[in-house]
PDB file of all heavy atoms in Angstrom:
ATOM      1  N   TYR A   1      39.212  89.047  27.984  1.00 98.00           N
ATOM      2  CA  TYR A   1      40.030  90.046  27.300  1.00 98.00           C
ATOM      3  C   TYR A   1      40.595  91.005  28.330  1.00 98.00           C
ATOM      4  O   TYR A   1      40.038  91.192  29.437  1.00 98.00           O
ATOM      5  CB  TYR A   1      39.265  90.749  26.200  1.00 98.00           C
ATOM      6  CG  TYR A   1      38.126  91.639  26.647  1.00 98.00           C
ATOM      7  CD1 TYR A   1      38.343  93.008  26.905  1.00 98.00           C
ATOM      8  CD2 TYR A   1      36.831  91.147  26.808  1.00 98.00           C
ATOM      9  CE1 TYR A   1      37.308  93.833  27.308  1.00 98.00           C
ATOM     10  CE2 TYR A   1      35.789  91.948  27.202  1.00 98.00           C
ATOM     11  CZ  TYR A   1      36.043  93.284  27.463  1.00 98.00           C
ATOM     12  OH  TYR A   1      35.006  94.100  27.878  1.00 98.00           O
ATOM     13  N   TYR A   2      41.717  91.614  28.013  1.00 98.00           N
ATOM     14  CA  TYR A   2      42.553  92.200  29.064  1.00 98.00           C
ATOM     15  C   TYR A   2      41.881  93.294  29.895  1.00 98.00           C
ATOM     16  O   TYR A   2      41.994  93.303  31.114  1.00 98.00           O
ATOM     17  CB  TYR A   2      43.852  92.761  28.430  1.00 98.00           C
ATOM     18  CG  TYR A   2      44.817  93.253  29.500  1.00 98.00           C
ATOM     19  CD1 TYR A   2      45.501  92.356  30.327  1.00 98.00           C
ATOM     20  CD2 TYR A   2      45.046  94.610  29.676  1.00 98.00           C
ATOM     21  CE1 TYR A   2      46.358  92.794  31.305  1.00 98.00           C
ATOM     22  CE2 TYR A   2      45.919  95.066  30.653  1.00 98.00           C
ATOM     23  CZ  TYR A   2      46.587  94.146  31.448  1.00 98.00           C
ATOM     24  OH  TYR A   2      47.430  94.567  32.455  1.00 98.00           O
ATOM     25  N   ASP A   3      41.221  94.240  29.254  1.00 98.00           N
ATOM     26  CA  ASP A   3      40.616  95.338  30.023  1.00 98.00           C
ATOM     27  C   ASP A   3      39.631  94.804  31.074  1.00 98.00           C
ATOM     28  O   ASP A   3      39.594  95.241  32.210  1.00 98.00           O
ATOM     29  CB  ASP A   3      39.890  96.298  29.096  1.00 98.00           C
ATOM     30  CG  ASP A   3      40.820  97.269  28.435  1.00 98.00           C
ATOM     31  OD1 ASP A   3      42.031  97.317  28.823  1.00 98.00           O
ATOM     32  OD2 ASP A   3      40.413  97.997  27.496  1.00 98.00           O
ATOM     33  N   PHE A   4      38.853  93.812  30.654  1.00 98.00           N
ATOM     34  CA  PHE A   4      37.895  93.197  31.571  1.00 98.00           C
ATOM     35  C   PHE A   4      38.619  92.411  32.680  1.00 98.00           C
ATOM     36  O   PHE A   4      38.329  92.503  33.863  1.00 98.00           O
ATOM     37  CB  PHE A   4      36.933  92.302  30.791  1.00 98.00           C
ATOM     38  CG  PHE A   4      35.803  91.731  31.628  1.00 98.00           C
ATOM     39  CD1 PHE A   4      34.595  92.419  31.737  1.00 98.00           C
ATOM     40  CD2 PHE A   4      35.944  90.522  32.286  1.00 98.00           C
ATOM     41  CE1 PHE A   4      33.561  91.896  32.473  1.00 98.00           C
ATOM     42  CE2 PHE A   4      34.916  90.001  33.041  1.00 98.00           C
ATOM     43  CZ  PHE A   4      33.733  90.691  33.151  1.00 98.00           C
ATOM     44  N   ALA A   5      39.601  91.589  32.237  1.00 98.00           N
ATOM     45  CA  ALA A   5      40.295  90.717  33.185  1.00 98.00           C
ATOM     46  C   ALA A   5      41.037  91.532  34.241  1.00 98.00           C
ATOM     47  O   ALA A   5      40.985  91.192  35.434  1.00 98.00           O
ATOM     48  CB  ALA A   5      41.290  89.826  32.431  1.00 98.00           C
ATOM     49  N   TYR A   6      41.733  92.587  33.842  1.00 98.00           N
ATOM     50  CA  TYR A   6      42.506  93.359  34.800  1.00 98.00           C
ATOM     51  C   TYR A   6      41.635  94.230  35.664  1.00 98.00           C
ATOM     52  O   TYR A   6      41.761  94.210  36.913  1.00 98.00           O
ATOM     53  CB  TYR A   6      43.534  94.217  34.070  1.00 98.00           C
ATOM     54  CG  TYR A   6      44.336  95.111  35.008  1.00 98.00           C
ATOM     55  CD1 TYR A   6      45.265  94.558  35.876  1.00 98.00           C
ATOM     56  CD2 TYR A   6      44.122  96.491  35.029  1.00 98.00           C
ATOM     57  CE1 TYR A   6      45.950  95.375  36.774  1.00 98.00           C
ATOM     58  CE2 TYR A   6      44.843  97.296  35.904  1.00 98.00           C
ATOM     59  CZ  TYR A   6      45.728  96.745  36.755  1.00 98.00           C
ATOM     60  OH  TYR A   6      46.419  97.520  37.648  1.00 98.00           O
ATOM     61  N   LYS A   7      40.773  94.986  35.105  1.00 98.00           N
ATOM     62  CA  LYS A   7      40.001  95.970  35.848  1.00 98.00           C
ATOM     63  C   LYS A   7      38.900  95.327  36.716  1.00 98.00           C
ATOM     64  O   LYS A   7      38.583  95.812  37.799  1.00 98.00           O
ATOM     65  CB  LYS A   7      39.367  96.998  34.941  1.00 98.00           C
ATOM     66  CG  LYS A   7      40.392  97.864  34.229  1.00 98.00           C
ATOM     67  CD  LYS A   7      39.724  98.832  33.253  1.00 98.00           C
ATOM     68  CE  LYS A   7      40.772  99.695  32.500  1.00 98.00           C
ATOM     69  NZ  LYS A   7      40.108 100.597  31.507  1.00 98.00           N
ATOM     70  N   LEU A   8      38.274  94.249  36.222  1.00 98.00           N
ATOM     71  CA  LEU A   8      37.139  93.660  36.950  1.00 98.00           C
ATOM     72  C   LEU A   8      37.475  92.358  37.663  1.00 98.00           C
ATOM     73  O   LEU A   8      36.740  91.954  38.565  1.00 98.00           O
ATOM     74  CB  LEU A   8      35.998  93.425  35.962  1.00 98.00           C
ATOM     75  CG  LEU A   8      35.464  94.666  35.244  1.00 98.00           C
ATOM     76  CD1 LEU A   8      34.278  94.286  34.390  1.00 98.00           C
ATOM     77  CD2 LEU A   8      35.088  95.767  36.231  1.00 98.00           C
ATOM     78  N   GLN A   9      38.565  91.692  37.269  1.00 98.00           N
ATOM     79  CA  GLN A   9      38.906  90.419  37.880  1.00 98.00           C
ATOM     80  C   GLN A   9      40.334  90.380  38.457  1.00 98.00           C
ATOM     81  O   GLN A   9      40.769  89.367  38.973  1.00 98.00           O
ATOM     82  CB  GLN A   9      38.750  89.291  36.849  1.00 98.00           C
ATOM     83  CG  GLN A   9      37.287  89.149  36.380  1.00 98.00           C
ATOM     84  CD  GLN A   9      37.162  88.107  35.291  1.00 98.00           C
ATOM     85  OE1 GLN A   9      37.836  88.121  34.277  1.00 98.00           O
ATOM     86  NE2 GLN A   9      36.301  87.137  35.533  1.00 98.00           N
ATOM     87  N   LEU A  10      41.055  91.507  38.326  1.00 98.00           N
ATOM     88  CA  LEU A  10      42.390  91.651  38.894  1.00 98.00           C
ATOM     89  C   LEU A  10      43.391  90.669  38.315  1.00 98.00           C
ATOM     90  O   LEU A  10      44.412  90.348  38.959  1.00 98.00           O
ATOM     91  CB  LEU A  10      42.346  91.550  40.412  1.00 98.00           C
ATOM     92  CG  LEU A  10      41.293  92.417  41.125  1.00 98.00           C
ATOM     93  CD1 LEU A  10      41.358  92.240  42.620  1.00 98.00           C
ATOM     94  CD2 LEU A  10      41.464  93.877  40.737  1.00 98.00           C
ATOM     95  N   GLN A  11      43.138  90.181  37.121  1.00 98.00           N
ATOM     96  CA  GLN A  11      44.043  89.244  36.426  1.00 98.00           C
ATOM     97  C   GLN A  11      44.912  90.070  35.451  1.00 98.00           C
ATOM     98  O   GLN A  11      44.448  90.440  34.367  1.00 98.00           O
ATOM     99  CB  GLN A  11      43.273  88.200  35.641  1.00 98.00           C
ATOM    100  CG  GLN A  11      42.749  87.056  36.482  1.00 98.00           C
ATOM    101  CD  GLN A  11      42.160  85.975  35.602  1.00 98.00           C
ATOM    102  OE1 GLN A  11      41.416  86.229  34.653  1.00 98.00           O
ATOM    103  NE2 GLN A  11      42.452  84.720  35.907  1.00 98.00           N
ATOM    104  N   ASP A  12      46.125  90.310  35.818  1.00 98.00           N
ATOM    105  CA  ASP A  12      47.046  91.038  34.950  1.00 98.00           C
ATOM    106  C   ASP A  12      47.755  90.020  34.044  1.00 98.00           C
ATOM    107  O   ASP A  12      48.947  89.803  34.124  1.00 98.00           O
ATOM    108  CB  ASP A  12      48.070  91.822  35.776  1.00 98.00           C
ATOM    109  CG  ASP A  12      48.892  92.778  34.937  1.00 98.00           C
ATOM    110  OD1 ASP A  12      48.747  92.804  33.700  1.00 98.00           O
ATOM    111  OD2 ASP A  12      49.742  93.493  35.509  1.00 98.00           O
ATOM    112  N   TRP A  13      46.951  89.393  33.139  1.00 98.00           N
ATOM    113  CA  TRP A  13      47.544  88.290  32.366  1.00 98.00           C
ATOM    114  C   TRP A  13      48.592  88.766  31.375  1.00 98.00           C
ATOM    115  O   TRP A  13      49.436  87.982  30.948  1.00 98.00           O
ATOM    116  CB  TRP A  13      46.448  87.478  31.683  1.00 98.00           C
ATOM    117  CG  TRP A  13      45.561  88.142  30.649  1.00 98.00           C
ATOM    118  CD1 TRP A  13      44.259  88.444  30.827  1.00 98.00           C
ATOM    119  CD2 TRP A  13      45.868  88.480  29.306  1.00 98.00           C
ATOM    120  NE1 TRP A  13      43.733  89.006  29.691  1.00 98.00           N
ATOM    121  CE2 TRP A  13      44.710  89.025  28.713  1.00 98.00           C
ATOM    122  CE3 TRP A  13      47.034  88.389  28.522  1.00 98.00           C
ATOM    123  CZ2 TRP A  13      44.652  89.439  27.414  1.00 98.00           C
ATOM    124  CZ3 TRP A  13      46.984  88.836  27.195  1.00 98.00           C
ATOM    125  CH2 TRP A  13      45.814  89.356  26.654  1.00 98.00           C
ATOM    126  N   ARG A  14      48.582  90.035  31.029  1.00 98.00           N
ATOM    127  CA  ARG A  14      49.642  90.528  30.155  1.00 98.00           C
ATOM    128  C   ARG A  14      50.983  90.370  30.888  1.00 98.00           C
ATOM    129  O   ARG A  14      51.990  89.954  30.265  1.00 98.00           O
ATOM    130  CB  ARG A  14      49.393  91.987  29.813  1.00 98.00           C
ATOM    131  CG  ARG A  14      50.329  92.561  28.754  1.00 98.00           C
ATOM    132  CD  ARG A  14      49.916  93.951  28.331  1.00 98.00           C
ATOM    133  NE  ARG A  14      50.584  94.386  27.117  1.00 98.00           N
ATOM    134  CZ  ARG A  14      50.346  95.533  26.486  1.00 98.00           C
ATOM    135  NH1 ARG A  14      49.422  96.354  26.965  1.00 98.00           N
ATOM    136  NH2 ARG A  14      50.997  95.819  25.370  1.00 98.00           N
ATOM    137  N   ARG A  15      51.017  90.691  32.147  1.00 98.00           N
ATOM    138  CA  ARG A  15      52.246  90.512  32.930  1.00 98.00           C
ATOM    139  C   ARG A  15      52.563  89.043  33.109  1.00 98.00           C
ATOM    140  O   ARG A  15      53.751  88.650  33.155  1.00 98.00           O
ATOM    141  CB  ARG A  15      52.113  91.215  34.274  1.00 98.00           C
ATOM    142  CG  ARG A  15      53.434  91.302  35.033  1.00 98.00           C
ATOM    143  CD  ARG A  15      53.278  92.113  36.276  1.00 98.00           C
ATOM    144  NE  ARG A  15      54.496  92.084  37.077  1.00 98.00           N
ATOM    145  CZ  ARG A  15      54.582  92.450  38.340  1.00 98.00           C
ATOM    146  NH1 ARG A  15      53.484  92.884  38.974  1.00 98.00           N
ATOM    147  NH2 ARG A  15      55.712  92.393  39.015  1.00 98.00           N
ATOM    148  N   TRP A  16      51.524  88.221  33.239  1.00 98.00           N
ATOM    149  CA  TRP A  16      51.758  86.772  33.348  1.00 98.00           C
ATOM    150  C   TRP A  16      52.491  86.235  32.144  1.00 98.00           C
ATOM    151  O   TRP A  16      53.352  85.370  32.245  1.00 98.00           O
ATOM    152  CB  TRP A  16      50.442  86.029  33.561  1.00 98.00           C
ATOM    153  CG  TRP A  16      49.695  86.388  34.805  1.00 98.00           C
ATOM    154  CD1 TRP A  16      50.023  87.334  35.721  1.00 98.00           C
ATOM    155  CD2 TRP A  16      48.467  85.800  35.261  1.00 98.00           C
ATOM    156  NE1 TRP A  16      49.061  87.404  36.726  1.00 98.00           N
ATOM    157  CE2 TRP A  16      48.121  86.467  36.456  1.00 98.00           C
ATOM    158  CE3 TRP A  16      47.646  84.821  34.751  1.00 98.00           C
ATOM    159  CZ2 TRP A  16      46.939  86.153  37.159  1.00 98.00           C
ATOM    160  CZ3 TRP A  16      46.478  84.477  35.455  1.00 98.00           C
ATOM    161  CH2 TRP A  16      46.152  85.134  36.640  1.00 98.00           C
ATOM    162  N   VAL A  17      52.120  86.767  30.989  1.00 98.00           N
ATOM    163  CA  VAL A  17      52.795  86.344  29.743  1.00 98.00           C
ATOM    164  C   VAL A  17      54.212  86.923  29.710  1.00 98.00           C
ATOM    165  O   VAL A  17      55.185  86.165  29.395  1.00 98.00           O
ATOM    166  CB  VAL A  17      51.976  86.809  28.531  1.00 98.00           C
ATOM    167  CG1 VAL A  17      52.774  86.593  27.231  1.00 98.00           C
ATOM    168  CG2 VAL A  17      50.639  86.072  28.444  1.00 98.00           C
ATOM    169  N   GLN A  18      54.367  88.157  30.057  1.00 98.00           N
ATOM    170  CA  GLN A  18      55.677  88.800  29.990  1.00 98.00           C
ATOM    171  C   GLN A  18      56.700  88.186  30.946  1.00 98.00           C
ATOM    172  O   GLN A  18      57.883  88.116  30.636  1.00 98.00           O
ATOM    173  CB  GLN A  18      55.538  90.291  30.283  1.00 98.00           C
ATOM    174  CG  GLN A  18      54.802  91.081  29.245  1.00 98.00           C
ATOM    175  CD  GLN A  18      54.475  92.500  29.685  1.00 98.00           C
ATOM    176  OE1 GLN A  18      54.509  92.808  30.887  1.00 98.00           O
ATOM    177  NE2 GLN A  18      54.086  93.374  28.767  1.00 98.00           N
ATOM    178  N   THR A  19      56.228  87.711  32.071  1.00 97.00           N
ATOM    179  CA  THR A  19      57.148  87.195  33.101  1.00 97.00           C
ATOM    180  C   THR A  19      57.272  85.674  33.099  1.00 97.00           C
ATOM    181  O   THR A  19      57.935  85.077  33.948  1.00 97.00           O
ATOM    182  CB  THR A  19      56.709  87.634  34.510  1.00 97.00           C
ATOM    183  OG1 THR A  19      55.363  87.163  34.773  1.00 97.00           O
ATOM    184  CG2 THR A  19      56.736  89.154  34.644  1.00 97.00           C
ATOM    185  N   GLY A  20      56.661  85.013  32.112  1.00 97.00           N
ATOM    186  CA  GLY A  20      56.807  83.583  31.982  1.00 97.00           C
ATOM    187  C   GLY A  20      55.925  82.728  32.828  1.00 97.00           C
ATOM    188  O   GLY A  20      56.134  81.533  32.959  1.00 97.00           O
ATOM    189  N   VAL A  21      54.917  83.314  33.474  1.00 98.00           N
ATOM    190  CA  VAL A  21      53.965  82.525  34.253  1.00 98.00           C
ATOM    191  C   VAL A  21      53.223  81.557  33.314  1.00 98.00           C
ATOM    192  O   VAL A  21      53.025  80.381  33.637  1.00 98.00           O
ATOM    193  CB  VAL A  21      52.951  83.419  34.983  1.00 98.00           C
ATOM    194  CG1 VAL A  21      51.792  82.590  35.538  1.00 98.00           C
ATOM    195  CG2 VAL A  21      53.649  84.196  36.097  1.00 98.00           C
ATOM    196  N   ALA A  22      52.825  82.056  32.145  1.00 98.00           N
ATOM    197  CA  ALA A  22      52.003  81.281  31.214  1.00 98.00           C
ATOM    198  C   ALA A  22      52.822  80.775  30.024  1.00 98.00           C
ATOM    199  O   ALA A  22      53.680  81.506  29.514  1.00 98.00           O
ATOM    200  CB  ALA A  22      50.843  82.113  30.714  1.00 98.00           C
ATOM    201  N   ASP A  23      52.538  79.565  29.612  1.00 98.00           N
ATOM    202  CA  ASP A  23      53.153  78.975  28.429  1.00 98.00           C
ATOM    203  C   ASP A  23      52.235  79.001  27.243  1.00 98.00           C
ATOM    204  O   ASP A  23      52.682  78.842  26.094  1.00 98.00           O
ATOM    205  CB  ASP A  23      53.559  77.508  28.688  1.00 98.00           C
ATOM    206  CG  ASP A  23      54.565  77.397  29.845  1.00 98.00           C
ATOM    207  OD1 ASP A  23      55.616  78.039  29.764  1.00 98.00           O
ATOM    208  OD2 ASP A  23      54.248  76.695  30.820  1.00 98.00           O
ATOM    209  N   GLU A  24      50.954  79.135  27.460  1.00 98.00           N
ATOM    210  CA  GLU A  24      49.994  79.290  26.357  1.00 98.00           C
ATOM    211  C   GLU A  24      48.812  80.088  26.858  1.00 98.00           C
ATOM    212  O   GLU A  24      48.517  80.103  28.074  1.00 98.00           O
ATOM    213  CB  GLU A  24      49.565  77.951  25.786  1.00 98.00           C
ATOM    214  CG  GLU A  24      48.632  77.130  26.636  1.00 98.00           C
ATOM    215  CD  GLU A  24      48.131  75.874  25.907  1.00 98.00           C
ATOM    216  OE1 GLU A  24      48.830  75.310  25.038  1.00 98.00           O
ATOM    217  OE2 GLU A  24      46.985  75.447  26.222  1.00 98.00           O
ATOM    218  N   LEU A  25      48.112  80.727  25.961  1.00 98.00           N
ATOM    219  CA  LEU A  25      47.066  81.665  26.270  1.00 98.00           C
ATOM    220  C   LEU A  25      45.892  81.483  25.376  1.00 98.00           C
ATOM    221  O   LEU A  25      46.040  81.423  24.134  1.00 98.00           O
ATOM    222  CB  LEU A  25      47.607  83.109  26.151  1.00 98.00           C
ATOM    223  CG  LEU A  25      46.607  84.253  26.204  1.00 98.00           C
ATOM    224  CD1 LEU A  25      46.025  84.392  27.608  1.00 98.00           C
ATOM    225  CD2 LEU A  25      47.268  85.570  25.801  1.00 98.00           C
ATOM    226  N   LEU A  26      44.681  81.333  25.939  1.00 98.00           N
ATOM    227  CA  LEU A  26      43.451  81.300  25.192  1.00 98.00           C
ATOM    228  C   LEU A  26      42.550  82.394  25.775  1.00 98.00           C
ATOM    229  O   LEU A  26      42.074  82.308  26.892  1.00 98.00           O
ATOM    230  CB  LEU A  26      42.747  79.955  25.256  1.00 98.00           C
ATOM    231  CG  LEU A  26      43.517  78.783  24.627  1.00 98.00           C
ATOM    232  CD1 LEU A  26      44.353  78.068  25.660  1.00 98.00           C
ATOM    233  CD2 LEU A  26      42.546  77.805  23.985  1.00 98.00           C
ATOM    234  N   ILE A  27      42.331  83.459  24.988  1.00 98.00           N
ATOM    235  CA  ILE A  27      41.577  84.615  25.461  1.00 98.00           C
ATOM    236  C   ILE A  27      40.088  84.446  25.152  1.00 98.00           C
ATOM    237  O   ILE A  27      39.713  84.221  24.011  1.00 98.00           O
ATOM    238  CB  ILE A  27      42.085  85.916  24.797  1.00 98.00           C
ATOM    239  CG1 ILE A  27      43.612  86.023  24.951  1.00 98.00           C
ATOM    240  CG2 ILE A  27      41.405  87.129  25.397  1.00 98.00           C
ATOM    241  CD1 ILE A  27      44.222  87.082  24.055  1.00 98.00           C
ATOM    242  N   GLN A  28      39.278  84.515  26.186  1.00 98.00           N
ATOM    243  CA  GLN A  28      37.838  84.364  25.982  1.00 98.00           C
ATOM    244  C   GLN A  28      37.226  85.629  25.377  1.00 98.00           C
ATOM    245  O   GLN A  28      37.208  86.700  25.989  1.00 98.00           O
ATOM    246  CB  GLN A  28      37.176  84.084  27.331  1.00 98.00           C
ATOM    247  CG  GLN A  28      37.652  82.835  28.003  1.00 98.00           C
ATOM    248  CD  GLN A  28      37.113  82.680  29.410  1.00 98.00           C
ATOM    249  OE1 GLN A  28      36.105  83.273  29.742  1.00 98.00           O
ATOM    250  NE2 GLN A  28      37.831  81.912  30.222  1.00 98.00           N
TER     251      GLN A  28
END
């Protein structure tokens, strides 16, 4: 989930979705 992914794992997946990096998303 985003707070954990961004702050603790440096994965800004919200931006990955916004910029078209990802075509599908499964949030753990």
